[in-house]
Amino acid sequence: FFACQATKTRMKCSVSLMSMASNLHGRVRKMHNVVFAGWGGALTPFNTLLEPTTEETKTALSLFKQKLEGKEFVMVVHNPPKDTKIDLAASAKHVGSEDVRKFVEDARPRLLISAHIHESGAVDKIGESTLFYPGPVFEGRYGTVDLEKGKCTCAIKKANV
């Protein structure tokens, strides 16, 4: 769960985003003047239900780059970009996607929100793009994001469960 905080306007945005919840996989949506794009799934050794091939991911990210060129946007992905604080597995290996990393370097989203590597809750940067994964909700973790006035501030929170 990601929420904006502070002003009444931003809190209203948070409530609206929850009420407008939609599947972002392979889509671009504009909500309250913020453009969101999404790509879910990741290749794993577990044969889960949503594991796009490397080629499918490359193609989708290429299409997003073309569609979003010159626009400010937030990218929501399951698989984090390679060689960042948010792709470091318990084995101390970076296991993120090279394709997602290249997309961030080339398309330069204002913010990339990720998941997948449970032990890698963190905030990081690739160039001017902020990368954020607060950690898994099953551990009570969640994050807040503030995109006001050209800044991107992310905070990792922990619920008392």
Side-chain angles (χ1 to χ4, degrees):
F1 171 78
F2 292 89
C4 305
Q5 58 176 295
T7 71
K8 187 175 179 180
T9 304
R10 285 185 241 160
M11 206 45 110
K12 180 180 174 191
C13 173
S14 170
V15 171
S16 293
L17 286 175
M18 290 188 330
S19 67
M20 294 172 66
S22 79
N23 180 355
L24 273 176
H25 179 66
R27 296 184 173 104
V28 175
R29 298 271 191 257
K30 187 173 185 178
M31 294 176 264
H32 294 280
N33 295 319
V34 178
V35 175
F36 292 87
W39 186 250
L43 292 175
T44 73
F46 310 113
N47 289 326
T48 62
L49 293 176
L50 184 58
E51 294 197 21
T53 66
T54 300
E55 201 53 47
E56 289 170 324
T57 296
K58 281 182 185 180
T59 298
L61 295 176
S62 175
L63 292 172
F64 280 132
K65 183 177 178 288
Q66 290 171 23
K67 186 171 188 169
L68 297 166
E69 186 124 16
K71 296 180 181 171
E72 184 173 282
F73 68 100
V74 174
M75 187 71 191
V76 180
V77 296
H78 184 75
N79 202 1
K82 181 124 174 113
D83 295 324
T84 63
K85 291 178 185 176
I86 62 174
D87 86 318
L88 193 59
S91 64
K93 292 182 181 176
H94 289 279
V95 295
S97 167
E98 291 176 8
D99 297 319
V100 172
R101 181 177 184 100
K102 180 159 179 27
F103 172 80
V104 173
E105 291 170 346
D106 294 345
R108 300 187 315 261
R110 182 170 182 194
L111 170 66
L112 178 129
I113 300 170
S114 183
H116 195 51
I117 312 302
H118 297 164
E119 56 272 31
S120 286
V123 179
D124 202 357
K125 295 279 247 185
I126 293 177
E128 293 299 312
S129 297
T130 300
L131 315 175
F132 185 47
Y133 174 51
V137 72
F138 67 79
E139 290 180 356
R141 298 188 188 284
Y142 67 98
T144 59
V145 174
D146 185 348
L147 295 173
E148 284 294 309
K149 299 179 184 173
K151 294 182 188 174
C152 181
T153 306
C154 301
I156 297 173
K157 308 283 186 167
K158 179 142 172 108
N160 295 325
V161 285

